[in-house]
Amino acid sequence: MKLWQKDYVLNSQIEAFTVGEDYQVDQKLVEYDCQASKAHASMLYKIGILTEDEHEKLCNELDRIIELHKNGRFTISVNDEDCHTAIENYLTESLGETGKKIHTGRSRNDQVLAALRLYYKEMLLDAKKKILSLQKAVDTLIKTWGSVPIPGYTHTRKAMPSSVGLWAGALKAALDDDLLQLKSVYDLIDQSPLGSGAGYGVPLKLDRKSVADDLGFAKVQENPIYVQTSRGKFDAALLHFISFVLFDANKVATDLILFTMPDFGFFTLPDTFLTGSSIMPQKKNPDVLELIRANYHQVLGYEMQVKSLIANLLSGYHRDFQLLKKPVMYALDILLTTLSMLTLVFENLQVDEKKCKNAMTPELYATEKVYDLVKEGMSFREAYQRVAKEESMLKKR
Amino acid sequence: MKLWQKDYVLNSQIEAFTVGEDYQVDQKLVEYDCQASKAHASMLYKIGILTEDEHEKLCNELDRIIELHKNGRFTISVNDEDCHTAIENYLTESLGETGKKIHTGRSRNDQVLAALRLYYKEMLLDAKKKILSLQKAVDTLIKTWGSVPIPGYTHTRKAMPSSVGLWAGALKAALDDDLLQLKSVYDLIDQSPLGSGAGYGVPLKLDRKSVADDLGFAKVQENPIYVQTSRGKFDAALLHFISFVLFDANKVATDLILFTMPDFGFFTLPDTFLTGSSIMPQKKNPDVLELIRANYHQVLGYEMQVKSLIANLLSGYHRDFQLLKKPVMYALDILLTTLSMLTLVFENLQVDEKKCKNAMTPELYATEKVYDLVKEGMSFREAYQRVAKEESMLKKR
Amino acid sequence: MKLWQKDYVLNSQIEAFTVGEDYQVDQKLVEYDCQASKAHASMLYKIGILTEDEHEKLCNELDRIIELHKNGRFTISVNDEDCHTAIENYLTESLGETGKKIHTGRSRNDQVLAALRLYYKEMLLDAKKKILSLQKAVDTLIKTWGSVPIPGYTHTRKAMPSSVGLWAGALKAALDDDLLQLKSVYDLIDQSPLGSGAGYGVPLKLDRKSVADDLGFAKVQENPIYVQTSRGKFDAALLHFISFVLFDANKVATDLILFTMPDFGFFTLPDTFLTGSSIMPQKKNPDVLELIRANYHQVLGYEMQVKSLIANLLSGYHRDFQLLKKPVMYALDILLTTLSMLTLVFENLQVDEKKCKNAMTPELYATEKVYDLVKEGMSFREAYQRVAKEESMLKKR
Amino acid sequence: MKLWQKDYVLNSQIEAFTVGEDYQVDQKLVEYDCQASKAHASMLYKIGILTEDEHEKLCNELDRIIELHKNGRFTISVNDEDCHTAIENYLTESLGETGKKIHTGRSRNDQVLAALRLYYKEMLLDAKKKILSLQKAVDTLIKTWGSVPIPGYTHTRKAMPSSVGLWAGALKAALDDDLLQLKSVYDLIDQSPLGSGAGYGVPLKLDRKSVADDLGFAKVQENPIYVQTSRGKFDAALLHFISFVLFDANKVATDLILFTMPDFGFFTLPDTFLTGSSIMPQKKNPDVLELIRANYHQVLGYEMQVKSLIANLLSGYHRDFQLLKKPVMYALDILLTTLSMLTLVFENLQVDEKKCKNAMTPELYATEKVYDLVKEGMSFREAYQRVAKEESMLKKR
């Protein structure tokens, strides 16, 4: 039964279309919704809407749902629409009138947002851990191979001397910036929506602060209309953060795809990381790096989905927002997986010192020649032009 | 077993990551791959690679796979990587040496493309049918209510008199253009990739034309490198086509969301099409229209995924292309579903003649007043200014 | 003076904001607007709205404006808003009452669209010429160097033997598909909007067919609401076409950036095509190829601008559409320039036969070894596995 | 003359293509480049590369350039490529050998980044001021009209009672979040790139900290490769921030376009803010609101340009990055202008109390009826269903 069940039955095609994949997608949210519902029930008890007994029973049943869900035995059917309905229906079935009280003082709108934000926060903390692990793997590479020279490139052309340490250090520094941005987006999301109802509050004196504290939110998001407006806005910020991190992964994967080409060969990956071809027996392909590279673009598409979908809409909830769930969830999964795979890559990356040194050809040192002249007192631009002429003549020979 | 199985075992994390969701996504391709494999086997027989007996056995087994698949009994495991491997493995298990011959003269690259293009072509034909059905529903509305006047808007402000027929006719005309573009993208995709191998042909004299004819492709895509280059390019064109059609759905849904507001009320949908709120008992919401509107943006995101992913890559296949499958398949599903739902909406749309007529307020006829003066001989701009003054004075009263 | 001038003066900040850059952007449209205005005047004469004398005078003045504009002496001021107003103001100043009649039977909405479509059509014809020139340059390269072998790559790894001819032929084939799509988008745009007014027709019996014929449009776009709806829709289609072509340029530029690296060296560009570095005297950089590659992304952004901007809007004109002009115009410029530059690149590309041949290392022929065994009767998969073992042992030595 | 001038002259078509619009775009950067060059010169003096006299002369000339530029008399020609070259050429012309020393210890790469980041930082501070002004205007509206009731909407349907204060408060709260994100992106950008050269440092002992302090950067961005990698990454973050703020503008403009429709009429704008139509004399259109709405999409396109362009590229500078300048600069202009215009709108917005109150129809109070029953002890879901039945019967009458 739907929360809003009326005296007519929804057209079945319309029902299937509007529910969409929510009943599956929502599996990720069951536990978070139960936690938020428990905090909500505690507050209702505190302000006198629920008796002590009702409160206890609701919390016990919500714990039971969490348990069932962990064991894969809490199902959400198409007819339930989503996890929120499934949970209320479960409570009403097992507790009767008491179950019918759980929705007092809230709307599905603030309920969905509470569950999503709790979930986002946990995923971000997970991402933080994975970024730190990746940095550790990068550090190990630097400690082992940092001083090995490799060419530095600009315009995909040899430019000046670089090193394994300098190259890997760039990723480490990038991840430092990512951690700062992670904190910023975490803080943004860390606002409790509960008590904002469907965007226009609830005609009941709620203790919004107490629920927020209980759930570990840093603050209450006061304006109820803004709670709804911020729905896609926060999702967009989260997706931007994910593409921000995945850009670093894209960059380092692009580097490694070239640098592990046998023609360059600065780095190698173990055979067990490489896949083959259905037709060419000699092939060993860096699919793992290619998919890391490609994942950036997947997320870019999801970011665009969200940023385009939320615009030109009147204030207040629209069913369009239902389509925000999937892109963000997918993007979070992609982020966590990509960080793990990149860590695995760095933990297993080998440096071929000989190939690296062989690549350090003379033109890489042209700028040093300029600075030798500068140190002797020649002006930079003069020195530059003299060396340019020499280099040009060397090439023509 | 993988097609490229070597003397080492792929790292299991890498395996899970690289296979991704392919083994599930590929369910949609099983039949198309079998059809293409049958045509391929026939050609191999024709050019003397397979004996008559081998050819017959392969075709029989491929038909068996199609049958199993239709009954949901053909499974693709993670270890199989994808449907193509699962099919070859099946053939080898049941036919031994003969099964090991099916991959002669092809690569998984041209094999995937063949299956995808057969699938795309069928989906496009399905889309065509659905567009025609929608046009029929629009026609019926026009026949029934076409002459009822409604205001025409510019800048979301009343502008000049319009009518239900004019408004619905705009959708019909848009769909006519969509059909022309459908033909154009169909023709683009209607090129046989088989025989191009992994992008550099196959060292064997194949009869590419015969396979193409057999599968109903309009022509052979000759250059094997271009077959690979065109992979994402054709997908991008298909996604553009889908967003092109969904734009029309977005437009008409946007119109209907406003025009079915009780404040306007030109149109109504049956209650069985409307959903409720978990908190507000009076609500009847047009979720179906909102999701039709939002689907445009979903596809826009998928389009961007594809168009961004394929760029800045060297000629030839990359594993990145694996990620092209999902966005196109999802977008095709969205297209077909949205067209069906919009047809259902039009078949059930009611016009509230009274509310329409009440909305025909005097300012809508200001331009007609101008033209009355023009018909009396006044120059247009003079007439315009005189009426502007009158209108302004009317308002101030 | 504005066409809609009322009894109040627009706030000057609002004026500057709403006019934006239109008064500059519109320089590209002056001639097309004059042509359309001439055809419109002829039709007004034909249906008896203008006298022969008025018609002649208007056409003469419009020709004068075209002449002035060609000499850079027709200016559009901020106060004029756009070229359409500037032109009507000019006519009214020079012809008095007759000038005030030019706007009879049209709105700025259909007027803008007429000018834009005439302009788009001419740009597309120009693009067609440039694509043909590029194909010619590619052909010359193929004739001169086609048979020189180069490695074919998959996964950015050596795969199978390719050749300069095969590689360049892929671009040629891609451009063939582009020409077909060009025709398709040209046909889409080739519909006359004139007579649709502001989206709801004009209360006057116009001869829309005659204007369309006069301007060389293939047909009249009948439904006036669809004329407005199709505004961004056609622009989106045009931008997709441009990104479709630029994708080919992106691909070939990506290839050339790698293949002209001294480390590969299959191709070279003349020094006069290469730029230097402010600090590294030895550098010669392929900026021209990098910008060709990057231009694809510029257009992708413009495409997204348009496709996102036009959604979730009620039927009928919105000022938002003003922002469609710039992205399309910029993208057309980018398309034409990129095609010219790529042609120049191909006309000057040199092949280094020696480096090409040196790159043809043994692993490229592993697939041929498989097929040698197949020709001796071994099943493909057996042969594949035997060669795979041999290749693996060769590497380990 | 180019900084990298060699013994050949660049092909003139290639030159025009590669310089692009840089020589115009760079007008915005002249002052910032001069400031950075002064700080650089001071550091060179400090570490003994420049004499006191040379340092003084360079600083004086750089001040002169700033002065000339302010008066519109410092020109950058196509041949100069960009402002950085124009400035060095100017110094060399006026100071001879001393001028040729200014580029010691830097590359155009870190030089461009320094100028851009100084410019970005100033623009962000400007944006901050404008956000605060907008909040002030919103506050004034709330103080004057805050308690006037208006309907709250969900699904574009009347939902529950809202008020002018609640509605405007949502924007204010959104802007608070924007200010926090502004700080976050400001901190990200606030890292000095100077001394990183072309991405691989400079063979000279520079005092990077001193330059950073001198220019007011919070810290030195240590890893020189990351300086280059972060180029597009920071631009992407900046563009995301801009779209993040403009989303709020898009939302409030969308609301106002509907709420100022005469059919609703909750708010009005002065006539001097409204534009007319070329054909319909009665029209007064909210173009200003429509362009505010549309600007979000413009920036979304620019964001996509940048995020797509920077991917799949090897570490180190590429000429592709040249195309990052325009989208960010345009987006910053759009941000500042949109904030100003929105402030102007809020400063001039009038509330029509009577129309607001008339819109407060009974169905808006259905949820209150539910809570009246809840307060009497009925469970929420029971109460909901009872009121739902009542409402349904009321409608049917």
Side-chain angles (χ1 to χ4, degrees), chain C residues 108 278 287 297 308 319-320, chain D residues 278 287 293 297 308 319:
Chain C
R108 193 159 40 168
S278 76
D287 298 44
H297 301 280
S308 172
R319 188 61 175 259
D320 313 57
Chain D
S278 75
D287 298 43
R293 174 175 66 187
H297 300 281
S308 171
R319 187 62 175 258

Side-chain angles (χ1 to χ4, degrees), chain C residues 4 6 8 10-11 103 108 271-272 274 276-278 281 283 287 290 293 297-298 305 308 319-320, chain D residues 4 6 8 10-11 103 108 271-272 274 276-278 281 283 287 290 293 297-298 305 308 319-320:
Chain C
W4 51 269
K6 298 213 158 56
Y8 59 82
L10 197 58
N11 174 299
H103 208 59
R108 193 159 40 168
D271 273 359
T272 55
L274 305 174
S277 151
S278 76
K283 293 282 301 206
D287 298 44
E290 294 173 290
R293 175 175 65 186
H297 301 280
Q298 277 206 286
Q305 267 184 353
S308 172
R319 188 61 175 259
D320 313 57
Chain D
W4 51 269
K6 295 212 159 61
Y8 59 82
L10 198 58
N11 174 298
H103 209 59
R108 192 156 43 168
D271 272 0
T272 56
L274 305 174
S277 151
S278 75
K283 292 282 297 199
D287 298 43
E290 295 173 288
R293 174 175 66 187
H297 300 281
Q298 275 205 288
Q305 266 184 353
S308 171
R319 187 62 175 258
D320 312 58

Side-chain angles (χ1 to χ4, degrees), chain C residues 33 84 107-117 231 325:
Chain C
D33 191 80
H84 317 289
S107 165
R108 193 159 40 168
N109 290 104
D110 56 344
Q111 189 185 354
V112 168
L113 276 169
L116 281 171
R117 290 186 186 172
R231 183 160 185 184
K325 275 185 192 170

Side-chain angles (χ1 to χ4, degrees), chain B residues 59-218:
Chain B
C59 287
N60 287 343
E61 286 304 306
L62 287 162
D63 280 334
R64 196 180 313 260
I65 294 173
I66 293 176
E67 210 45 43
L68 284 170
H69 175 253
K70 275 185 184 154
N71 301 318
R73 292 191 292 123
F74 186 75
T75 55
I76 309 169
S77 69
V78 179
N79 191 265
D80 279 335
E81 288 194 324
D82 53 29
C83 74
H84 317 290
T85 304
I87 290 168
E88 183 172 331
N89 284 344
Y90 183 97
L91 295 176
T92 301
E93 255 172 62
S94 58
L95 300 175
E97 279 303 293
T98 302
K100 291 182 179 179
K101 290 185 177 177
I102 186 67
H103 209 60
T104 322
R106 74 179 183 194
S107 165
R108 194 158 40 169
N109 289 104
D110 55 345
Q111 189 185 356
V112 169
L113 278 168
L116 281 171
R117 289 187 187 170
L118 291 172
Y119 163 70
Y120 291 167
K121 284 173 61 183
E122 193 155 312
M123 292 301 105
L124 282 171
L125 293 181
D126 203 358
K128 186 179 167 182
K129 272 185 225 148
K130 286 189 189 303
I131 290 173
L132 293 170
S133 296
L134 175 53
Q135 284 189 316
K136 216 178 123 191
V138 173
D139 254 343
T140 307
L141 184 87
I142 295 174
K143 267 171 210 146
T144 321
W145 305 100
S147 62
V148 176
I150 54 170
Y153 294 82
T154 67
H155 302 265
T156 325
R157 298 287 177 269
K158 279 184 182 172
M160 285 172 66
S162 177
S163 69
V164 170
L166 206 63
W167 172 81
L171 175 59
K172 210 190 150 195
L175 294 168
D176 280 338
D177 278 349
D178 295 345
L179 287 171
L180 289 174
Q181 297 298 306
L182 187 149
K183 186 177 167 4
S184 166
V185 76
Y186 187 95
D187 289 349
L188 181 69
I189 287 166
D190 199 11
Q191 308 187 36
S192 175
L194 281 171
S196 66
Y200 305 100
V202 177
L204 206 61
K205 228 178 153 45
L206 303 171
D207 184 349
R208 298 189 61 189
K209 179 77 170 56
S210 131
V211 187
D213 288 348
D214 207 357
L215 290 167
F217 280 111

Side-chain angles (χ1 to χ4, degrees), chain A residues 108 278 287 297 308 319, chain B residues 108 278 287 297 308 319-320:
Chain A
R108 194 159 38 172
S278 76
D287 298 44
H297 301 281
S308 172
R319 187 63 174 257
Chain B
R108 194 158 40 169
S278 75
D287 298 45
H297 301 280
S308 173
R319 187 63 175 256
D320 312 57

Side-chain angles (χ1 to χ4, degrees), chain C residues 252-307:
Chain C
V252 84
T254 303
D255 285 352
L256 283 175
I257 288 168
L258 201 78
F259 293 163
T260 59
M261 269 185 106
D263 317 64
F264 292 82
F266 308 154
F267 298 94
T268 55
L269 279 174
D271 273 359
T272 55
F273 278 51
L274 305 174
T275 60
S277 151
S278 76
I279 172 174
M280 297 167 288
Q282 87 281 12
K283 293 282 301 206
K284 292 186 179 169
N285 298 320
D287 298 44
V288 58
L289 297 172
E290 294 173 290
L291 289 169
I292 289 172
R293 175 175 65 186
N295 278 344
Y296 171 71
H297 301 280
Q298 277 206 286
V299 170
L300 217 52
Y302 290 133
E303 188 179 349
M304 191 43 54
Q305 267 184 353
V306 164
K307 288 187 171 179

Side-chain angles (χ1 to χ4, degrees), chain D residues 101-331:
Chain D
K101 291 185 175 175
I102 187 66
H103 209 59
T104 322
R106 74 178 183 194
S107 164
R108 192 156 43 168
N109 289 104
D110 55 347
Q111 188 184 357
V112 168
L113 276 170
L116 281 171
R117 289 187 188 172
L118 290 172
Y119 163 71
Y120 291 167
K121 285 173 60 183
E122 194 154 312
M123 292 301 104
L124 282 172
L125 293 181
D126 204 358
K128 187 180 167 181
K129 271 186 225 150
K130 285 187 191 301
I131 289 173
L132 292 169
S133 297
L134 174 53
Q135 284 189 317
K136 217 178 123 190
V138 173
D139 254 342
T140 306
L141 183 87
I142 294 174
K143 267 171 209 145
T144 321
W145 305 99
S147 62
V148 176
I150 55 170
Y153 295 82
T154 66
H155 301 265
T156 323
R157 298 287 176 271
K158 279 184 183 173
M160 286 173 64
S162 178
S163 69
V164 170
L166 205 65
W167 173 80
L171 175 59
K172 211 191 149 194
L175 294 169
D176 279 337
D177 278 348
D178 295 346
L179 287 171
L180 288 174
Q181 295 300 305
L182 186 149
K183 187 176 164 4
S184 166
V185 76
Y186 187 94
D187 289 349
L188 181 70
I189 287 165
D190 198 11
Q191 308 188 37
S192 174
L194 282 172
S196 66
Y200 304 98
V202 177
L204 207 62
K205 226 178 152 46
L206 303 171
D207 184 349
R208 297 189 61 189
K209 180 77 171 56
S210 133
V211 187
D213 288 348
D214 207 357
L215 289 168
F217 281 111
K219 66 169 187 167
V220 169
Q221 192 176 15
E222 294 291 350
N223 187 292
I225 297 181
Y226 181 50
V227 172
Q228 285 308 310
T229 309
S230 65
R231 183 158 187 183
K233 189 184 176 182
F234 286 8
D235 295 343
L238 189 50
L239 282 162
H240 165 71
F241 165 72
I242 297 170
S243 75
F244 190 77
V245 179
L246 288 180
F247 170 71
D248 301 326
N250 175 281
K251 176 66 69 181
V252 85
T254 304
D255 284 353
L256 284 174
I257 288 168
L258 202 77
F259 293 163
T260 59
M261 270 184 104
D263 317 64
F264 293 82
F266 308 155
F267 299 95
T268 54
L269 279 174
D271 272 0
T272 56
F273 278 50
L274 305 174
T275 60
S277 151
S278 75
I279 170 173
M280 297 168 286
Q282 88 281 12
K283 292 282 297 199
K284 292 187 181 171
N285 299 320
D287 298 43
V288 60
L289 297 172
E290 295 173 288
L291 289 169
I292 289 172
R293 174 175 66 187
N295 277 345
Y296 171 72
H297 300 281
Q298 275 205 288
V299 170
L300 217 52
Y302 289 134
E303 189 179 347
M304 191 43 54
Q305 266 184 353
V306 164
K307 289 188 170 177
S308 171
L309 180 142
I310 58 179
N312 295 13
L313 292 175
L314 198 67
S315 281
Y317 178 78
H318 304 270
R319 187 62 175 258
D320 312 58
F321 294 169
Q322 176 180 342
L323 302 183
L324 298 174
K325 276 184 193 172
K326 258 179 32 181
V328 187
M329 287 179 170
Y330 285 179

